[in-house]
Amino acid sequence: EAALMAARVGRRFVTMEDFESAKDKVMMGAERRSMVLTQDQKEKTAYHESGHAVVGMALPLCDPVYKATIIPRGGALGMVVSLPEMDRLNYHRDECQQKLAMTMAGKAAEVIKYGEEHVSNGPAGDIQQASALARAMVLQWGMSDKVGNIDYSEAAQGYQGNTGGFSVSANTKELVEKEVQKFIQDGYDHALKIITEKEVEFERLAQGLLEYETLTGDEIKRVMEGLPPTEDPDDD
């Protein structure tokens, strides 16, 4: 993929910039710069992504934020990507809870900036991810004290209550749903609290994304401190 990137711009050698572009394309999808967005859509996307980044950087157990962009990629209008520093072999409960907070931070950011009535369908993908993680925590990983250390994943495949001879009572299904909802709600509330406390950094980053469109992890930190993304503003 990097070789293709280099060939397209007429380079004879593959550079680190090509590898960086290739990694972004594979992980996040191809850039869709031709997609026409109104200023209002760009602004809402910037605040949504700013929420993810601010919460992700505030929580020590989340993977480091690698990049934030408001350039449409794949099926998304913008994206914040975290990369683990080493291979992820297992998850711990406190890590999952912080990951849920970062995932729900986009919606929390929209609520803080625009109010409950003006929340978009932008967080749909986030809600899907948060639901999948919370269900795994409750149904498979025994991380819910109320549901306990039982693997309900077989019954959860179709979540019809009776799969492969393994039935789940109506009471248990209700308990599972309440616990999943609680994990997600706790994550959302945590995100809301962090963004409210870091309102200045949140605002700076959203405006920085509107101006620069794509920022790396180190650049995000500088913008949140009120500095230009690079030490020399003339340096690309």
Side-chain angles (χ1 to χ4, degrees):
E1 195 63 58
L4 289 171
M5 297 269 181
R8 279 193 196 106
V9 294
R11 266 198 282 272
R12 290 179 59 238
F13 301 99
V14 179
T15 66
M16 188 52 76
E17 187 186 338
D18 300 315
F19 281 111
E20 186 78 11
S21 301
K23 180 171 67 171
D24 287 351
K25 183 178 176 183
V26 171
M27 286 181 62
M28 303 191 284
E31 281 189 356
R32 294 191 294 161
R33 286 184 177 272
S34 58
M35 191 175 184
V36 179
L37 296 177
T38 64
Q39 190 56 35
D40 180 59
Q41 287 168 325
K42 276 186 180 175
E43 186 186 288
K44 281 189 167 67
T45 303
Y47 280 100
H48 179 104
E49 302 308 335
S50 176
H52 283 304
V54 166
V55 172
M57 290 186 132
L59 295 173
L61 299 179
C62 283
D63 291 330
V65 173
Y66 147 72
K67 189 170 279 188
T69 181
I70 58 167
I71 297 171
R73 277 184 173 275
L77 297 181
M79 209 170 282
V80 169
V81 181
S82 296
L83 286 182
E85 292 178 302
M86 56 187 70
D87 288 343
R88 169 74 65 193
L89 301 174
N90 49 21
Y91 286 97
H92 300 95
R93 181 167 162 172
D94 50 357
E95 287 175 345
C96 291
Q97 287 169 329
Q98 292 193 11
K99 191 171 170 61
L100 282 172
M102 183 181 175
T103 305
M104 293 306 297
K107 180 167 184 181
E110 289 190 23
V111 168
I112 286 170
K113 182 64 183 175
Y114 301 106
E116 290 275 3
E117 297 301 313
H118 295 284
V119 171
S120 71
N121 66 340
D126 301 336
I127 290 169
Q128 206 172 6
Q129 282 179 36
S131 301
L133 176 57
R135 284 198 181 106
M137 290 168 73
V138 174
L139 292 166
Q140 293 171 264
W141 301 342
M143 291 181 181
S144 162
D145 298 330
K146 289 185 180 175
V147 173
N149 303 315
I150 301 168
D151 179 13
Y152 287 108
S153 56
E154 187 186 341
Q157 296 304 319
Y159 209 54
Q160 302 300 316
N162 198 340
T163 312
F166 177 42
S167 62
V168 179
S169 70
N171 284 346
T172 301
K173 279 166 72 174
E174 191 177 342
L175 181 62
V176 164
E177 281 161 10
K178 280 182 179 171
E179 283 296 277
V180 169
Q181 191 176 13
K182 183 179 183 301
F183 273 132
I184 295 171
Q185 189 61 41
D186 287 350
Y188 173 79
D189 292 340
H190 195 180
L192 212 61
K193 181 171 178 284
I194 291 170
I195 296 171
T196 305
E197 287 171 356
K198 295 184 174 288
E199 198 170 354
V200 175
E201 290 94 330
F202 167 61
E203 189 69 38
R204 280 177 185 158
L205 181 53
Q207 293 302 319
L209 281 169
L210 279 169
E211 185 174 345
Y212 300 105
E213 293 191 322
T214 298
L215 295 168
T216 63
D218 291 335
E219 290 169 350
I220 289 169
K221 286 176 190 165
R222 287 179 61 83
V223 168
M224 281 166 61
E225 289 167 7
L227 302 167
T230 51
E231 288 187 31
D232 179 5
D234 298 325
D235 182 9
D236 248 359

